[in-house]
Amino acid sequence: NVTCGEKLVQVGLGTQRVETLLTEQFPRARIQRVDSDTMSHRTHYQRIVDDFEARKIDVLVGTQMIAKGLDFPFVSFVGVVHADTAAMATDFRAHERLFQLITQVAGRAGRADAPGQVVVQTMTPEMPALSFALRHDYPAFAEAELKVRQQVGFPPFRRLARAVLMHPREERARHEAEALVVRIHSAIEALKLAEADILGPNPCTLSRLRGRYRYDVLVRTMNASDMRRLTARLEADGALRTKAESIVVDVDPVSLA
């Protein structure tokens, strides 16, 4: 038997866990959680916003929705818990979203006469996107980010399309994604698109949703014209027909989640 003398500390990253910890530390504070579990209707969100503006709530705990579009001049402190999560996602826009998030939440604090404070919790403080955001240095961030995207061949230097296949059986979802890759390769060769290529298939970041397994295939071309020719050829050949339960094709996808 192997024994360990170290103390195990239970941790969690969800808003509910943060709410619990804050309640323990500040038992007199009026705390309200704002996430998909507590906001079953849009009127619930508006009621909480109104209560917070009326100073009936001391602390809001929530997802990114509370960082966007709200203007409360009296807010003096904003915290971002586990900022690494946004950048660790398998999405080439992850650093862009992290920069945007930190910039937005920083703008939520210190809008009145009282000074504001923003605290960011992270395990990778040396992350360039985070450093640029804390300095509000968008030009430097954009220059560094564009350089990386050009090196790895992602937008705006290449055009991107994404096909997501779903099926209750993981083996079937993977098999149909692999078969789709073969058909796309054939279309690329027929059109002689030398600069086009395929990434995947791979399990999606959110690999299982509502009981369905999800695999995606990414297709890159050099320009929009090549992408139009390729998608038109795939449709004409019936290459997008599949035995998967469903397939969604997104040209110029905003998210790869």
Side-chain angles (χ1 to χ4, degrees), residues 47-65:
R47 184 169 63 249
I48 288 176
V49 170
D50 293 341
D51 287 346
F52 190 64
E53 189 169 19
R55 313 295 285 269
K56 297 178 181 179
I57 298 172
D58 299 315
V59 180
L60 284 181
V61 177
T63 54
Q64 293 184 29
M65 69 172 69

Side-chain angles (χ1 to χ4, degrees), residues 104-252:
Q104 286 174 337
V105 298
R108 303 280 80 83
R111 291 190 170 192
D113 295 334
Q117 183 178 15
V118 178
V119 174
V120 179
Q121 184 266 324
T122 175
M123 297 179 67
T124 54
E126 71 283 354
M127 192 185 308
L130 181 58
S131 299
F132 291 134
L134 294 177
R135 299 200 305 267
H136 298 281
D137 192 348
Y138 175 76
F141 166 74
E143 181 181 359
E145 182 70 7
L146 287 171
K147 184 179 298 184
V148 171
R149 290 196 193 182
Q150 186 173 29
Q151 290 173 346
V152 299
F154 274 108
F157 303 98
R158 301 280 292 274
R159 297 305 291 261
L160 191 68
R162 183 191 190 212
V164 178
L165 297 94
M166 292 180 282
H167 197 276
R169 293 171 49 204
E170 182 178 13
E171 181 181 355
R172 171 62 71 179
R174 183 179 64 252
H175 174 77
E176 291 302 320
E178 291 170 347
L180 176 62
V181 168
V182 173
R183 297 194 294 271
I184 296 174
H185 267 304
S186 296
I188 289 174
E189 292 177 358
L191 293 171
K192 295 182 172 55
L193 301 178
E195 301 298 328
D197 62 359
I198 303 171
L199 303 177
N202 291 302
C204 296
T205 303
L206 188 58
S207 61
R208 194 164 184 258
L209 180 65
R210 301 186 185 93
R212 272 59 178 169
Y213 290 92
R214 307 169 73 236
Y215 275 76
D216 71 358
V217 176
L218 299 180
V219 182
R220 296 188 298 185
T221 63
M222 283 302 297
N223 51 58
S225 175
D226 286 351
M227 183 63 75
R228 285 194 295 269
R229 292 175 60 202
L230 178 57
T231 53
R233 180 61 181 258
L234 292 172
E235 292 178 1
D237 292 348
L240 299 178
R241 289 197 291 267
T242 174
K243 293 180 181 179
E245 187 176 85
S246 66
I247 179 173
V248 177
V249 179
D250 187 4
V251 177
D252 297 326

